[in-house]
Amino acid sequence: MKNKERLVWIGIVSFLSFALILPNGSVKGISKTGESYLQIFHEVLSFIQTDYVESVDDEKLYQGAIRGLIASLGDPHSRFMDKDDFSQLQEETRGSFGGLGMEVSFADGAIVVISPIEDTPAMKAGILPQDRIVEIDGKKTGDLSLSDSIKLMRGKVGTSVTIKLERKNQKEPMTLTLVREMIKIRYVRSSFLEKEKLGYIKLNQFMGKDSTLSEFKKELAALKEKGAEGLIVDLRMNPGGLLDLAIALSDLFLKPDLDIVSVRGRGGELVRVFRSTSSGDKAIQIPMVVLINEGSASASEIFAGAIQDHGRGKILGTVSFGKGSVQNIYPLSHNTGIALTIQKYYTPSGKSIHGKGIQPDVLVKSVEPTEDDRFYIRKMAEKKMLEAFVAKNPVYSEANFQLFEKYLSEKGMKLSSDVARFLYKSRSNKEGQSPLLDLDLDPQMKKAIELLSVPKEGEKK
């Protein structure tokens, strides 16, 4: 009886498959090979549904097939989003969502951190760009899709999640337990350096297009009104976002009719070249430095590439992430969607930064621990030494830092002074919002100020 049912089912499936064929003998948008494999797919599906030893969940089957289809592209940035994923994406674009606070991608069987987001559990825990998350709550990320991994890291505010991550140049994996928070992103922050007469704008993400563009312009105008004679645009740890916003912000600083970015599609075919406009609210004269690091990706690299190629300002920091592809979000039925890589972008000089990144004009590294520092940091973490000291000395001061160094020496922890200062000062700010500028911890910012403070010819400064 079962065999008869199977034959009837296969017959129905075959009929439905061929019913899709148009009068000219081909399925719309599908090749002959595609037609054959559609039929095979339905045949396999029918055997699973009728003969597999366990009962099956149809939704799970179909979603697995869709994810497998996209995974076969070998592109970590293309993905299927179920109802929850798609809803979360919409929350992110509005600037508020629950979780740990980091932008991630999938590569080589692990979740790779593009960038932690400022003032979030991920950043406070010291997670860095290029860290590889290999386990989430005991589940290996190599066995999970990107969206499933993201789903595991998200959850109810106040609950905890344990992740294991591998870090370049560190032999042993690190295990961290983080408490989920409501992630609210303030995209634009600024500061005026009175002594140096310099403006500083920190852009956390290229999101919230119209509001972010408006806020950026407002902050820029306020800095110029205060007498800023130079500008530092900080794109460190900025994972990117909207292409249109990257173009609009680049346009602010470029003379009219200059290439900002070109976009090429399948086969390298030129799709479009975006050029600067003659809009009246430009800032084309003010000297500028753009800060980037390994957490600067996508739209950040478009902006930095345009400024660099036209000699509009100096790019300072370390090599950026290298994400030179454009994803389009396609809403699908039943509140689902897909993110699909449709194009690659190129800087004005024709360079693709995909997998290579933007090379800074001035290479300056951030405070980085040596191998010995890492050894002692691990020892400190095992004994929760930093937490114990901060609990007794929560307010950072130079006097308390001297006490911290003495405390480390007594415990046999031979940390370099810069790293010790970084650890204590960054952790002492944990309960509140981190200060926007802190030159003690920021050699890249120090160098940017130095570059912009060089007196112009005929001036004394």
Side-chain angles (χ1 to χ4, degrees), residues 111-400:
I111 302 300
V112 178
V113 177
I114 297 175
S115 174
I117 298 169
E118 189 177 18
D119 289 315
T120 63
M123 180 165 277
K124 292 170 187 174
I127 291 174
L128 299 175
Q130 304 294 347
D131 281 350
R132 293 165 52 82
I133 300 172
V134 294
E135 281 187 20
I136 305 168
D137 280 341
K139 296 181 180 177
K140 295 186 184 301
T141 54
D143 300 330
L144 302 168
S145 67
L146 176 61
S147 56
D148 285 339
S149 297
I150 291 171
K151 202 178 293 183
L152 280 176
M153 287 188 283
R154 294 189 175 181
K156 189 176 178 182
V157 171
T159 59
S160 63
V161 58
T162 299
I163 61 174
K164 182 183 285 187
L165 56 86
E166 296 173 349
R167 180 167 294 168
K168 190 177 179 183
N169 299 325
Q170 191 164 304
K171 294 175 184 176
E172 298 296 324
M174 301 168 58
T175 300
L176 302 171
T177 298
L178 296 88
V179 177
R180 298 178 178 98
E181 294 179 7
M182 180 59 66
I183 309 300
K184 294 182 179 179
I185 305 170
R186 183 179 173 188
Y187 294 123
V188 183
R189 298 169 69 192
S190 73
S191 181
F192 179 63
L193 285 71
E194 182 72 43
K195 181 183 174 184
E196 295 85 0
K197 299 296 180 190
L198 297 177
Y200 171 86
I201 298 180
K202 169 73 174 171
L203 184 64
N204 288 315
Q205 273 186 276
F206 288 79
M207 288 294 217
K209 184 189 172 186
D210 292 334
S211 59
T212 300
L213 179 60
S214 174
E215 183 68 15
F216 192 99
K217 287 180 177 179
K218 178 182 169 186
E219 298 292 346
L220 179 59
L223 291 170
K224 288 165 72 177
E225 193 173 313
K226 289 176 182 176
E229 298 174 5
L231 179 69
I232 299 167
V233 178
D234 192 346
L235 301 182
R236 292 173 297 178
M237 299 298 186
N238 183 324
L242 303 172
L243 175 65
D244 287 353
L245 183 55
I247 292 164
L249 289 175
S250 301
D251 184 39
L252 287 177
F253 299 100
L254 298 176
K255 293 178 181 178
D257 207 30
L258 296 176
D259 288 1
I260 295 174
V261 64
S262 60
V263 182
R264 295 180 179 272
R266 183 176 292 184
E269 182 180 350
L270 183 65
V271 175
R272 185 173 175 184
V273 178
F274 294 90
R275 300 178 71 82
S276 54
T277 68
S278 55
S279 62
D281 55 356
K282 287 179 173 283
I284 58 175
Q285 298 298 331
I286 189 166
M288 65 189 294
V289 170
V290 180
L291 301 179
I292 62 170
N293 65 4
E294 58 275 16
S296 308
S298 190
S300 293
E301 294 169 305
I302 289 175
F303 182 95
I307 297 300
Q308 184 179 58
D309 282 4
H310 291 300
R312 176 60 187 84
K314 293 290 186 184
I315 310 301
L316 186 151
T318 53
V319 180
S320 62
F321 186 83
K323 181 181 179 292
S325 58
V326 179
Q327 285 70 45
N328 200 16
I329 305 298
Y330 296 94
L332 304 175
S333 311
H334 309 295
N335 298 316
T336 62
I338 58 169
L340 194 65
T341 297
I342 57 168
Q343 294 155 349
K344 290 186 178 180
Y345 63 75
Y346 296 78
T347 68
S349 63
K351 292 181 294 189
S352 168
I353 56 87
H354 200 62
K356 301 171 187 173
I358 295 286
Q359 300 287 332
D361 300 309
V362 183
L363 179 65
V364 181
K365 293 183 178 180
S366 58
V367 175
E368 291 184 2
T370 64
E371 190 59 43
D372 285 346
D373 287 329
R374 292 190 180 98
F375 171 79
Y376 290 114
I377 289 169
R378 286 198 295 273
K379 292 292 183 186
M380 288 171 62
E382 289 168 5
K383 299 176 182 178
K384 298 190 180 298
M385 290 172 57
L386 182 58
E387 290 84 348
F389 184 85
V390 170
K392 292 180 180 178
N393 305 274
V395 178
Y396 175 86
S397 67
E398 191 58 34
N400 277 348

Side-chain angles (χ1 to χ4, degrees), residues 22-40:
L22 300 175
N24 64 4
S26 64
V27 177
K28 185 177 180 181
I30 299 178
S31 65
K32 284 286 185 181
T33 302
E35 291 173 18
S36 300
Y37 277 96
L38 266 179
Q39 182 181 354
I40 294 168

